[in-house]
């Protein structure tokens, strides 16, 4: 059952799809005055105060996924600036570092009492939606779901590399690495997923002991070194080196 926030200082307020402010917005759009009067919420100070507090602290599933992808992208950009490109190992390390940074923010934020995040949901009767405060466990669950989506994208990246290698072989007579014929697509998918999940599991265990001082890159390479070396080297060869404006070196 969803527990809806109660407040003695203000009534339950609905999200922007309902309520007086949203009605004002729709009416102004019908009258064609929306662009000339963008500050429609100024006439509803309670609502605008509520949204000023809520909007920066919303924690939707899309926010978690977007944040992970953004942080991973920033790490890979930095890697490119330093090395002139990045490969499979860098991609795995960037994904792990993005997850670790957000995980650390969530846990430490709740431990020191500085983190509050909200979600909009309907109650058991379908009324609302209303604002609800999330728990740390709920945020970590959303983070894990976003990480699973990120894993799917990196599986796709390896698959695209296989397609590229196959096209090079077929149309340009460029014979791929020998491992191309040893491992199949499903083995590549399983390797990427199992590796990422192992890294996440090890990180969460070691975070309890080392906290923010943990070396995430060392952990990543420890997992890779102790995994399937044949598939690791295969994915390295398949992925190649990503450079700007080009899929491969």
């Amino acid at each position: 059952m969803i527990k809806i926030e109660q407040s003695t200082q203000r009534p339950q307020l609905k999200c922007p799809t309902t309520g007086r402010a949203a009605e004002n917005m729709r009416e102004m759009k019908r009258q064609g005055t929306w662009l000339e009067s963008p500050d429609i919420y100024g006439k509803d100070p309670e609502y605008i105060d509520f949204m000023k507090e809520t909007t920066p602290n919303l924690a939707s599933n899309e926010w978690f996924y977007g944040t992970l992808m953004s942080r991973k992208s920033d790490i890979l950009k930095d890697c490119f600036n330093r090395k002139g490109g990045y490969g499979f190992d860098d991609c795995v390390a960037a994904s792990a570092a993005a997850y670790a940074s957000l995980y650390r923010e969530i846990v430490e934020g709740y431990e020191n009492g500085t983190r509050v995040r909200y979600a909009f949901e309907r109650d058991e009767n379908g009324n609302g939606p209303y604002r609800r405060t999330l728990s740390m466990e709920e945020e970590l669950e959303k983070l894990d779901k976003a990480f699973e989506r990120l894993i799917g994208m990196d599986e796709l990246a390896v698959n695209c590399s296989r397609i590229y290698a196959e096209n090079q072989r077929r149309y340009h007579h460029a014979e791929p690495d020998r491992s191309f014929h040893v491992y199949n697509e499903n083995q590549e998918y399983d390797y990427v997923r199992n590796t990422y999940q192992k890294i996440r599991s090890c990180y969460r265990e070691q975070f309890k002991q080392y906290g923010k001082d943990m070396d995430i890159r060392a952990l990543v390479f420890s997992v890779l070194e102790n995994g399937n070396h044949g598939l690791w080297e295969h994915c390295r060869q398949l992925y190649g080196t990503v450079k700007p404006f080009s899929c491969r070196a």
Side-chain angles (χ1 to χ4, degrees), residues 10 26 73 211 217 232:
R10 66 161 66 103
R26 287 193 291 269
S73 177
R217 192 170 182 85
W232 181 19

Side-chain angles (χ1 to χ4, degrees), residues 112-124:
N112 60 33
T114 59
R115 187 177 180 90
V116 178
R117 292 295 183 269
Y118 303 111
F120 278 113
E121 295 176 347
R122 297 184 182 278
D123 64 19
E124 59 270 21

Side-chain angles (χ1 to χ4, degrees), residues 36-247:
E36 290 73 25
S37 305
D39 188 22
I40 64 165
Y41 298 121
K43 298 178 181 179
D44 194 344
E46 184 181 35
Y47 185 89
I48 195 169
D49 288 345
F50 176 80
M51 293 309 297
K52 281 182 177 179
E53 174 192 356
T54 303
T55 302
N57 296 309
L58 281 176
S60 66
N61 293 335
E62 290 302 319
W63 180 87
F64 277 97
Y65 177 66
T67 301
L68 278 182
M69 292 299 289
S70 176
R71 294 186 184 189
K72 175 186 174 181
S73 177
D74 288 342
I75 294 169
L76 289 177
K77 285 178 183 177
D78 179 68
C79 180
F80 168 77
N81 290 334
R82 289 184 290 104
K83 298 166 56 177
Y86 58 85
F88 176 76
D89 294 356
D90 300 308
C91 187
V92 176
S95 298
Y99 176 88
S101 66
L102 192 47
Y103 181 92
R104 184 173 64 247
E105 284 180 19
I106 294 170
V107 173
E108 292 181 349
Y110 281 95
E111 287 179 347
N112 60 33
T114 59
R115 187 177 180 90
V116 178
R117 292 295 183 269
Y118 303 111
F120 278 113
E121 295 176 347
R122 297 184 182 278
D123 64 19
E124 59 270 21
N125 298 317
N127 299 319
Y130 301 106
R131 190 182 75 176
R132 183 172 69 85
T133 302
L134 295 173
S135 67
M136 182 181 76
E137 291 73 22
E138 287 176 310
E139 281 209 66
L140 293 178
E141 182 180 353
K142 287 176 178 288
L143 173 60
D144 281 342
K145 288 180 179 179
F147 190 66
E148 290 295 321
R149 290 178 63 184
L150 184 148
I151 293 174
M153 291 300 295
D154 286 357
E155 287 175 330
L156 180 61
V158 172
N159 181 248
C160 288
S161 298
R162 169 172 281 276
I163 294 172
Y164 175 84
E166 175 61 30
N167 287 338
Q168 288 292 95
R169 183 187 68 83
R170 180 176 300 175
Y171 300 112
H172 301 285
H173 308 290
E175 190 62 27
D177 183 77
R178 185 180 61 84
S179 65
F180 183 84
H181 305 290
V182 175
Y183 302 106
N184 60 43
E185 186 177 310
N186 290 331
Q187 290 173 304
E188 294 160 5
Y189 280 153
D190 289 343
Y191 174 74
V192 171
R193 180 163 294 276
N194 292 338
T195 298
Y196 277 51
Q197 290 176 342
K198 179 66 174 178
I199 291 170
R200 175 178 59 185
S201 176
C202 290
Y203 172 79
R204 295 183 71 151
E205 280 298 316
Q206 294 188 25
F207 182 84
K208 299 174 184 177
Q209 181 177 357
Y210 300 107
K212 64 182 179 181
D213 297 324
M214 186 169 51
D215 186 340
I216 185 65
R217 192 170 182 85
L219 183 150
V220 167
F221 279 91
S222 174
V223 172
L224 290 171
E225 287 283 357
N226 288 283
N228 187 316
H229 275 249
L231 272 164
W232 181 19
E233 186 58 34
H234 168 66
C235 287
R236 280 172 148 178
Q237 294 291 335
L238 202 59
Y239 200 91
T241 301
V242 175
K243 293 186 177 182
F245 311 112
S246 174
C247 293

